[in-house]
Amino acid sequence: MCSLPMARYYIIKDADQKALYLRDGQLLVGDPDTDSWSAEKICILPNRGLDRTKVPIFLGIQGGSCCLACVETREGPSLRLEDVNIEDLYKGGEQATRFTFFQSSRGSAFRLEAAAYPGWFLCGPAEPHQPVQLTKESESLARTEFYFEQSR
């Protein structure tokens, strides 16, 4: 578990109240009430090296020992989980841009924009048990709003 006092843990859900969970090294979205898995507790820490008015955050899983990163592929920006400690990212700051998301609120929901790829947002899948991904802001059916439930 992340030991930094400012670390907060959340269960993150999409607009359909499906939660993020980890399976086979991927962050998926599904319904914990009907399936045999449990929602992932996401550790969130700020990236102090970027503009704080944009609310830059890191998203760590497995107690902060693995973090969500944005990487370039032939198809464009993509998400990947990497074995990097969230506390190390917190101490590193600006060099950790590919692990950073700008958090913006939309009422009670939040959107998470990839700091390394402006205009690309974390997006939930249309079908359950599929991985979260990145999508361009202009895509009209994008499922880019998430709800954060504080956890322990």
Side-chain angles (χ1 to χ4, degrees):
M1 296 293 270
C2 182
S3 62
L4 294 173
M6 72 285 303
R8 298 287 179 258
Y9 286 87
Y10 295 91
I11 302 296
I12 299 179
K13 295 182 177 181
D14 69 5
D16 297 326
Q17 294 302 298
K18 306 279 190 236
L20 301 185
Y21 70 99
L22 184 65
R23 182 175 290 154
D24 299 326
Q26 287 192 304
L27 203 54
L28 308 176
V29 176
D31 187 350
D33 296 331
T34 60
D35 302 310
S36 58
W37 58 269
S38 60
E40 184 69 28
K41 290 181 182 177
I42 311 290
C43 178
I44 294 181
L45 281 173
N47 180 339
R48 300 175 302 167
L50 296 179
D51 181 356
R52 292 182 188 195
T53 63
K54 292 185 175 185
V55 193
I57 59 171
F58 300 118
L59 302 171
I61 63 166
Q62 296 181 314
S65 65
C66 195
C67 290
L68 199 56
C70 300
V71 295
E72 184 66 42
T73 66
R74 270 183 248 169
E75 295 81 35
S78 182
L79 291 175
R80 179 170 66 199
L81 290 173
E82 294 192 13
D83 291 328
V84 61
N85 190 298
I86 195 168
E87 291 185 35
D88 294 338
L89 294 177
Y90 176 77
K91 293 171 187 166
E94 215 169 302
Q95 293 78 16
T97 302
R98 67 190 187 97
F99 293 98
T100 304
F101 295 86
F102 294 127
Q103 181 182 15
S104 60
S105 63
R106 298 180 70 126
S108 61
F110 293 93
R111 295 179 79 201
L112 297 165
E113 182 179 13
Y117 299 97
W120 287 80
F121 292 82
L122 194 68
C123 174
E127 299 295 319
H129 312 295
Q130 295 298 313
V132 293
Q133 52 199 344
L134 286 176
T135 189
K136 281 186 181 178
E137 183 175 27
S138 60
E139 294 180 17
S140 62
L141 298 176
R143 302 165 60 87
T144 59
E145 292 187 355
F146 294 91
Y147 298 86
F148 288 51
E149 286 181 13
Q150 191 148 8
S151 182
R152 292 177 187 219

